[in-house]
Each structure stands twice: as structure tokens, then as C-alpha cells.
Amino acid sequence: MIDDPKAINDLNEGDKVFFYRFNENWKNLEETLGLAKNRGVKIISDIDDYIWQAKGWNKNRLKGFTRSLKKCDVITCSTNYLRLQLIAMFNDISIVTIPNTAPSIKKECIRRKIDGFTRIGWTGAPWTRPKDIEILLELSQWIKFNANLKLKFVHIGHHEGYLSFANILNLPKGLIETYPLQSHNEYLNNLFFDIGLAPLEKNIFNQFKSSIKILEYSNMEIPWIASNELPYNETCKEWGWNGRLCEKPESWIEQIKPLLNQDRRKKEGEKLFKLCQLNSSFNSGVARWEKLLSINT
């Protein structure tokens, strides 16, 4: 992995270059890719979510990225919904869907905390998606007023100085454990909570998202509750699973109640792990990428 487009100048016919996202310092990337393509180098890129909706990217960065993408032989993405958008934008380029899969880390890495509390977890950067989290306001109030149930939240992805999960839900310190932004392996090793949450606001951007969050939960045998939005709805259909999908804020409370039973959580988590391995295993993702990279794109 490199961060200098000049290295592309050393590639020749039969080589492949994969670029991801775009750095404004790569001012000559479009030209460099074009010259490489003329030499017979194959150009591949992957689109994560719908990058043109990302508020953090300025026009110059988006313009440079889009122009560079036009030099691609293949563009990959993780959802069919996003693929349709990319086909409309780059109609002379091969667009390939490679669905996200479970991570490679094994379920044995789970480490449960045994202190009488049932932990309810969410992962991510809350300052980028406060409206998603606000869906959980009724659930958080219910948890606060039912202290006898011994429930608490876990948030992985906390960053001091930024809008926090606790701030959005007005949670007291005793009701939440936080873990900072960290490496991928550390992140996965901290998925030790008992119930996973995957709330999504109904908007266009969220339609392009993948269901990676519930894949990570399932791979760790964590039963989950999610919004009844396209990414999670489609995964449930593909798995033949009648998931705990919520339409209204109060639905999260109703769906969490059965999971307060430890045996119920264990059985549901084991079932989700099997479905995840059957339909979305890490090895299946590796096989798709190997097939793509082995062919003469």
C-alpha cells in the first residue's frame, strides 16, 4: 500500500493498480492513471457507500476523484443499489458488486463481561450520523427508567472533543461504556456486548450503505436489532431470517425485551453466526476478489 501516485509510473502491461478514495495532494493522478492505462496497466477502484453524498468532501476533491475513476477498467462496490448509480455515472466502465462479508477474526475472540449487566452496543462515529442515533432516544429513556433490569450501552468509536453517543441520547456516565477509535483488530476484539444495534435514518445516503454492521455482530454471535431499511432488509431476505427490524422508535423497546433472556440471546446468536458463515463468510469475499484480480480485466 502506497500514498504516492508516482509509483504507478513503474507499472507495465499486465500489472494492476487499485486505488481507494482520493487525496487532494494526488493532483496528477488522473494523468498518471491515463498513461498507465495506455501502457496496458489495468485500473481498479472500489467505492465505499455513496461518496458524492459525503459532506466532508469539497468540490475539488470530488472532481479529482471522479475524473480519476473515469480511467478505470473496473469499479467495484458492495451493494447492488450503489451499482445502479455507478452504472448511470460511468456507463462505459465495468461495475462489479462484491458484497461485504464477515471479518476474518474468529468468534472465539469474544470476551463477555460478567457483572450482572446486559450490554447493548453500537459502533461508529456519532458526530457523522446523529440522526441515526436519535432513533434510539425512546429506548435510552426506557433503559434509564428501568434500572432494575441492569442494562447499559457500549459505544465503540468514541472521540474526545466530538459529539458523543452519550450526548445525543442524554445518557448519564453510569449507563454507558466508551471505547475510542482504534485499529480494526482492536475494534473487533471489543465487540463483547450482548445485543447489537444498527439504527438507520430513512434517507437517500443510507440506501447505499452495506449491512457490514450486522455482519460483524452475527460473526461474533451477537443478536442484533436494526432499522427496517434497505441494507438490513435485503440481508434478512438473503439469509431467510425474520430479523428484528424496527419501523418506529418504540419498536426497539419491544424487540429488546425478548433478548433480555440470556438463553434466548445465546440461541439467536448461534443461529446468526451459522447464517453469516453460510451466506457472507470472509472466505467467500476472498474468493470473489481473487476471481476479479485473476482475470484480464
Side-chain angles (χ1 to χ4, degrees):
M1 184 177 293
I2 57 173
D3 192 30
D4 185 356
K6 291 180 182 178
I8 299 172
N9 295 328
D10 297 328
L11 302 179
N12 295 298
E13 184 175 359
D15 292 331
K16 296 182 175 71
V17 59
F18 181 98
F19 74 97
Y20 181 70
R21 297 296 179 96
F22 183 81
N23 188 323
E24 285 188 85
N25 293 327
W26 302 345
K27 295 178 181 178
N28 63 339
L29 180 61
E30 176 191 358
E31 179 183 352
T32 302
L33 291 174
L35 292 172
K37 190 168 184 177
N38 291 338
R39 297 195 304 272
V41 176
K42 300 303 180 181
I43 316 296
I44 304 169
S45 187
D46 180 73
I47 306 298
D48 180 26
D49 295 331
Y50 183 43
I51 204 71
W52 294 269
Q53 287 277 333
K55 296 179 181 178
W57 283 42
N58 61 48
K59 289 184 179 180
N60 287 334
R61 188 179 182 190
L62 285 173
K63 187 181 293 185
F65 185 51
T66 304
R67 286 177 174 173
S68 298
L69 287 172
K70 290 180 179 179
K71 301 300 181 182
C72 285
D73 296 285
V74 177
I75 297 175
T76 65
C77 61
S78 62
T79 72
N80 287 323
Y81 198 73
L82 180 52
R83 178 174 179 269
L84 293 176
Q85 180 66 46
L86 293 172
I87 288 173
M89 295 176 67
F90 306 99
N91 55 23
D92 58 344
I93 297 174
S94 175
I95 313 294
V96 179
T97 302
I98 300 184
N100 282 333
T101 66
S104 61
I105 195 167
K106 296 180 180 180
K107 61 176 180 143
E108 286 80 12
C109 291
I110 294 176
R111 50 185 179 83
R112 298 279 189 242
K113 284 192 174 181
I114 303 174
D115 59 3
F117 277 90
T118 299
R119 286 170 167 76
I120 304 164
W122 182 82
T123 67
W127 58 93
T128 67
R129 47 199 308 186
K131 293 296 182 181
D132 288 349
I133 299 170
E134 286 176 6
I135 292 171
L136 305 174
L137 274 167
E138 286 197 31
L139 174 62
S140 68
Q141 291 298 309
W142 181 78
I143 288 173
K144 279 196 279 189
F145 287 109
N146 287 275
N148 60 303
L149 295 177
K150 299 195 74 175
L151 306 175
K152 67 167 57 177
F153 286 99
V154 172
H155 170 225
I156 302 175
H158 179 74
H159 196 302
E160 287 295 332
Y162 286 74
L163 182 65
S164 72
F165 185 85
N167 289 151
I168 296 170
L169 296 181
N170 192 26
L171 293 171
K173 288 186 177 179
L175 278 185
I176 186 163
E177 293 177 9
T178 60
Y179 296 85
L181 293 167
Q182 50 202 213
S183 72
H184 188 58
N185 281 344
E186 288 175 326
Y187 158 71
L188 292 172
N189 275 315
N190 277 324
L191 289 178
F192 58 76
F193 41 80
D194 303 287
I195 301 168
L197 301 178
L200 282 182
E201 181 195 13
K202 190 181 293 293
N203 61 37
I204 292 175
F205 175 73
N206 281 339
Q207 301 301 301
F208 292 101
K209 293 190 70 63
S210 79
S211 58
I212 185 64
K213 198 179 295 289
I214 63 173
L215 300 185
E216 291 171 345
Y217 295 159
S218 299
N219 191 59
M220 296 298 196
E221 295 190 3
I222 299 171
W224 45 261
I225 308 169
S227 292
N228 189 16
E229 296 300 327
L230 185 67
Y232 305 135
N233 191 289
E234 285 195 339
T235 296
C236 286
K237 289 178 181 177
E238 290 168 5
W239 289 11
W241 174 252
N242 187 21
R244 297 184 179 278
L245 302 179
C246 302
E247 292 279 0
K248 301 176 181 179
E250 58 267 26
S251 301
W252 296 80
I253 300 171
E254 294 308 311
Q255 289 292 354
I256 216 163
K257 286 178 179 178
L259 294 176
L260 299 183
N261 181 285
Q262 187 174 353
D263 289 338
R264 180 76 174 267
R265 289 199 303 272
K266 186 175 186 298
K267 290 178 181 178
E268 197 159 309
E270 289 173 348
K271 177 65 175 176
L272 284 165
F273 173 76
K274 290 177 181 178
L275 287 171
C276 186
Q277 291 303 302
L278 181 64
N279 296 282
S280 306
S281 70
F282 177 78
N283 287 338
S284 69
V286 171
R288 287 189 178 98
W289 276 108
E290 286 180 339
K291 181 178 180 181
L292 175 71
L293 294 173
S294 66
I295 63 175
N296 186 11
T297 54

